[in-house]
Amino acid sequence: MIALLRYQTALLIGSHRWLPPVILYAAWLAIGVQSGGPILDAFGYAAGGLLPAAVWLTRVCVTNEPPAARNCAAAAAGPGRVHLAAVLTAAGTGLLLALLGTAVVVLLSDPRSTDLQVAVPVPPAAFAGLLAALVCLLMGIAIGALSNWPVLRSTGWSIPTGLLAALLLLVLGASPANAAVSGLVTGSVHGTISTPWLPLAATGLLAAAATAAACALSSRRG
């Protein structure tokens, strides 16, 4: 698996297809994370932007190989393992973006409530913000795994499906991603920190199940 991860990482870096989702997330941070803004609001905003970026990164990684190269790798290591390595590469790249977003918020934001009257401790806030980012990252991985090859083979279906699912799961109240983001934003009103343990557990299970289903299907479709 380590060799496959190295291969997928080298493939991702060499293709330069990681640039658009990374630029998208950087632009999201540049627009929404303002210097001196409330820290918990900024963490919620930064986490929310990671969801569509993660969907995009997952699509890039699982469709990066030409069919001939994918068949060769699948013959050597098994199609399920190759697909898992691609998804894990997307997750690792998304984790780097989550850490970057957390650092940007800590550096630029004001550690106080929305009305700037209540002090917010930075380390617990940063921890909660990073967990919220991981919730959105895992949700994006789950969406990306289910909206691309081998689940959906047609680009005409996979791209709009992934974008629509990312939007809905970010704004719907029943979504773990929405719960994690809104928990930070709501907590910012009173300067209280809401750590999204339950949304993190839920999205972890969803991402694992979605990835396992995609890997199993890749083994059947070859």
Side-chain angles (χ1 to χ4, degrees):
M1 182 56 71
I2 293 177
L4 287 173
L5 288 173
R6 289 176 178 172
Y7 167 67
Q8 291 290 345
T9 301
L11 194 65
L12 176 63
I13 294 173
S15 71
H16 300 292
R17 292 179 65 194
W18 53 271
L19 275 172
V22 170
I23 291 174
L24 169 69
Y25 187 61
W28 180 277
L29 293 178
I31 293 171
V33 180
Q34 303 296 325
S35 179
I39 190 169
L40 292 176
D41 285 332
F43 274 129
Y45 184 88
L50 197 58
L51 200 159
V55 175
W56 198 342
L57 281 170
T58 305
R59 172 169 177 77
V60 167
C61 289
V62 301
T63 62
N64 216 9
E65 290 178 283
R70 183 173 64 232
N71 291 337
C72 289
R81 288 169 60 86
V82 172
H83 197 76
L84 176 60
V87 174
L88 291 178
T89 300
T93 307
L95 178 59
L96 292 178
L97 292 182
L99 293 172
L100 173 65
T102 301
V104 168
V105 172
V106 169
L107 289 174
L108 295 181
S109 299
D110 190 338
R112 288 184 287 179
S113 59
T114 302
D115 58 8
L116 304 180
Q117 298 300 311
V118 180
V120 176
V122 174
F127 182 68
L130 180 59
L131 290 188
L134 292 180
V135 170
C136 292
L137 169 61
L138 290 170
M139 182 62 73
I141 294 295
I143 295 171
L146 295 177
S147 62
N148 290 290
W149 189 92
V151 181
L152 294 179
R153 298 189 181 190
S154 170
T155 302
W157 282 104
S158 62
I159 293 178
T161 299
L163 291 176
L164 180 61
L167 176 62
L168 290 177
L169 291 174
L170 191 57
V171 301
L172 291 178
S175 162
N178 178 273
V181 171
S182 61
L184 291 172
V185 175
T186 302
S188 180
V189 176
H190 304 289
T192 57
I193 300 172
S194 175
T195 306
W197 291 113
L198 186 58
L200 181 63
T203 50
L205 291 174
L206 286 172
T211 302
C215 290
L217 193 56
S218 70
S219 296
R220 297 183 63 180
R221 291 188 172 178

